Structures are given as C-alpha cells and as structure tokens.
Amino acid sequence: EQQKCPRCGRRLDPFPGTDDAQVVEIETRVWRRVIRRRRYHPSCGCGVLPGIVTAPSPARLIPRGKLGISVWVRVILDKYLYARPSHRLLQELASQGVRLSPGTIAGGLRKLLPLLEPVREAIRSRQLSEDRWQADETGWRVFEEVEGKVGHGWHLWVFRSPSTVVFTLSPSRSAQVPEAHFGGPAAGILLSDRYVVYKKLARQWEDLELAFCWAHVRRDFFSLARAWPELEGWAMSWVEGIGGLFDLNRRRLQVRKQPESCFAARDRELRGAVRGLERQRDAELRSPALHGACRKVLRSLERRA
C-alpha cells in the first residue's frame, strides 16, 4: 500500500538497484554430531567373525571422549587467549543447552597437555636463540595437593623476548625455575627487578648481564625521599631524571612506523640522556658530601635495628 503516491494514488515505478542497510548479529549454535555405523552379521558358518560386525569408530581427539575438537578449541581460546575463568564458559554453554562439569574440562585439559608440549617447547627454543630477555614472577594460588608442599601458594613466572613469551607455573620461587627454563648458562641481557635469584644467575653465568628495571629503581628513590627528608632533593632529582628517560622513550616509540631517520634521531636523544645519568652517577659516587649523608643514613638504620 506504500508503493503509490499518497496524493493521486498512482503506483510507483521500480528503480534499478536497492537501498541496503546492514545490521551485525551473532548466532551461536551448539549441535551434536551423530555417527551412525551400520551393523552386519555373518551369513556364513566360517566362525572367523564375531556375531555382530561394524566399522571402527572414527578417531577422536580424546579417546572415548564425547566432546569434539571444536569444543576443546573453544575451551582453550576462552581460557588462555581471552583469560576468562572456565566456570563462566560452562555457565554460557549451559544457557545454550550443553551442561559440562568442571571435572570434565580439567580432566580433558590434562589429556591434551602432551599435544601442546611440542608447541611450548618450540616457543621456548625460539626464545633461547635470542639474547634479550625479561623475567618476572608473581604469587599464584593453585588448589592442588602436591607431595611435600604445604599450602596452595605457587608462582607464575614469565620469560619474555622480543618475539616470544613463555609462562611457567611452579610451586617454587627458587633459582631452579629460571635455570631449568634456560637449560644452562645463557649469554645476553636479562631485564628484571632486583630479586636475589636473578643476581645469583648473573654471578654464576659470566656472559649474562643484568639490566635492572628503571621503574623499580625510580620507586626506591621515592621511598628514600619520604623516609629521609635530608636526602629528598637528591632523591627527587633522580626521580625526575628517570622520568625524563620514560618520556624520551615514549617519544621514540611514537615514530616507530615513520622513516628510520626519525626513530634514529630520537633514539640518539634517549641514549644521550642515559649517558648523562651515567656521568651523574659516577660523579656522585666520588662525592664526599654524598658519602657523608649516606653514612648518616646507615648509622641511623643500625641504631633502629
């Protein structure tokens, strides 16, 4: 009734083409695949076949498992790429009519682990072929009983290189974890905080050089300024100097996709500022006045102890 003139009533003539509008929608479909195998029985009396004969069951990712590959792909991506707790995925699947228990998911992931180990080892091998790394660790709760371990406090370690990231979950926070990761003395530069484990590695491996995190160093100067007012001016000068490095590096990274000469110019500016702080450090290490102030702080600490 709308294909006509509202005044005279004459019909509208078709015009070539269409006027299209797009709307994005999401359709989620959970389905069960039923594999039907015909059954046969021998028509002879040879006795070499069982009473009922059927084709072998198709191979499955997990033997006798009822979950297809697409389900496990969803579980792994949801957990490890999007970092969503698995129980939320199970709630979502339940709303779509598929009810899975947490034990099914946990047990299945254990069975899939051997399939993923070669991938992890390939990433680790690639990382060890490089010579720049960053390492850190943080507390991690793992509710699994391990013989000889009291409590559920574990540690999640991360080892990063320019091209790879490797995570290691361990009940230990000792040097054995990075030693096992590197598989022997490493040659290169390791960026870290001042945790004693990394210092131990540098003492043991003569070709490993530590680069302490600027953020941690800057934090220490803040703490010093708050605790010792007489050193506040000196400490804050270092805070400002390190902040200047952060700003120069930010400006350097802004031109990564521009012509190489732009990056090179800002890189030289940053390196010049680092050398300036290096000269300031060396001069202050030779300063009798600063040594005297530091001795006062140490004596005060001794009296408090």
Side-chain angles (χ1 to χ4, degrees):
E1 70 278 7
Q2 295 179 349
Q3 298 178 14
K4 59 184 179 181
C5 176
R7 175 175 296 178
C8 67
R10 295 186 61 176
R11 293 191 61 79
L12 305 179
D13 293 331
F15 188 82
T18 59
D19 190 2
D20 300 334
Q22 294 187 2
V23 178
V24 177
E25 302 281 3
I26 296 177
E27 179 182 354
T28 301
R29 185 167 62 98
V30 179
W31 53 283
R32 286 180 171 84
R33 182 161 55 100
V34 179
I35 304 169
R36 301 186 184 277
R37 294 171 289 151
R38 289 188 176 275
R39 296 184 296 177
Y40 304 86
H41 63 84
S43 60
C44 63
C46 297
V48 297
L49 294 173
I52 300 296
V53 180
T54 187
S57 177
R60 306 189 186 196
L61 184 62
I62 297 178
R64 296 187 297 278
K66 293 184 178 181
L67 302 182
I69 292 177
S70 61
V71 176
W72 289 113
V73 169
R74 175 73 181 277
V75 169
I76 292 173
L77 292 179
D78 203 74
K79 184 177 183 65
Y80 295 106
L81 179 60
Y82 304 122
R84 185 166 66 153
S86 294
H87 76 274
R88 295 184 184 173
L89 172 62
L90 297 183
Q91 290 175 341
E92 178 185 343
L93 294 177
S95 70
Q96 300 165 13
V98 178
R99 298 189 178 278
L100 302 176
S101 70
T104 298
I105 298 301
L109 289 174
R110 285 182 179 274
K111 294 176 181 177
L112 293 179
L113 183 60
L115 300 179
L116 299 176
E117 283 291 354
V119 179
R120 183 185 187 279
E121 185 56 31
I123 296 174
R124 174 178 168 273
S125 297
R126 169 65 181 267
Q127 184 173 106
L128 298 184
S129 69
E130 301 178 276
D131 60 0
R132 298 288 190 279
W133 309 286
Q134 181 178 358
D136 200 3
E137 78 294 327
T138 187
W140 205 263
R141 303 285 284 178
V142 177
F143 297 99
E144 180 178 1
E145 300 299 329
V146 177
E147 185 178 355
K149 178 172 178 55
V150 178
H152 301 285
W154 287 45
H155 298 277
L156 182 64
W157 296 72
V158 59
F159 302 94
R160 181 172 183 170
S161 72
S163 67
T164 63
V165 179
V166 176
F167 292 95
T168 297
L169 189 59
S170 173
S172 172
R173 199 186 175 208
S174 72
Q176 295 177 353
V177 178
E179 287 172 350
H181 172 75
F182 287 104
I189 297 176
L190 178 63
L191 174 64
S192 70
D193 56 20
R194 289 188 298 281
Y195 180 39
V196 63
V197 158
Y198 306 118
K199 298 178 183 180
K200 178 181 178 182
L201 294 181
R203 289 195 301 269
Q204 293 177 342
W205 302 344
E206 59 177 307
D207 294 326
L208 181 68
E209 182 178 357
L210 290 187
F212 290 135
C213 170
W214 278 112
H216 285 81
V217 175
R218 184 172 179 266
R219 188 185 308 162
D220 288 342
F221 281 112
F222 267 120
S223 300
L224 183 66
R226 287 193 297 266
W228 306 99
E230 61 269 32
L231 297 177
E232 180 179 1
W234 171 72
M236 293 307 295
S237 71
W238 275 95
V239 170
E240 294 174 3
I242 296 172
L245 297 185
F246 290 170
D247 183 61
L248 290 173
N249 186 56
R250 178 185 56 79
R251 295 177 61 243
R252 180 181 68 160
L253 296 178
Q254 288 176 342
V255 297
R256 279 182 298 181
K257 297 182 180 180
Q258 296 183 19
E260 186 176 347
S261 58
C262 297
F263 182 86
R266 295 196 176 181
D267 183 70
R268 286 194 298 270
E269 188 177 6
L270 173 59
R271 293 177 183 272
V274 172
R275 287 192 295 271
L277 286 184
E278 184 179 6
R279 289 191 294 270
Q280 179 181 345
R281 176 203 64 191
D282 293 342
E284 290 178 351
L285 287 175
R286 296 190 297 267
S287 169
L290 185 59
H291 286 187
C294 290
R295 282 195 293 271
K296 291 181 181 179
V297 171
L298 290 175
R299 284 196 295 269
S300 177
L301 290 174
E302 289 173 355
R303 286 194 296 272
R304 292 183 183 183

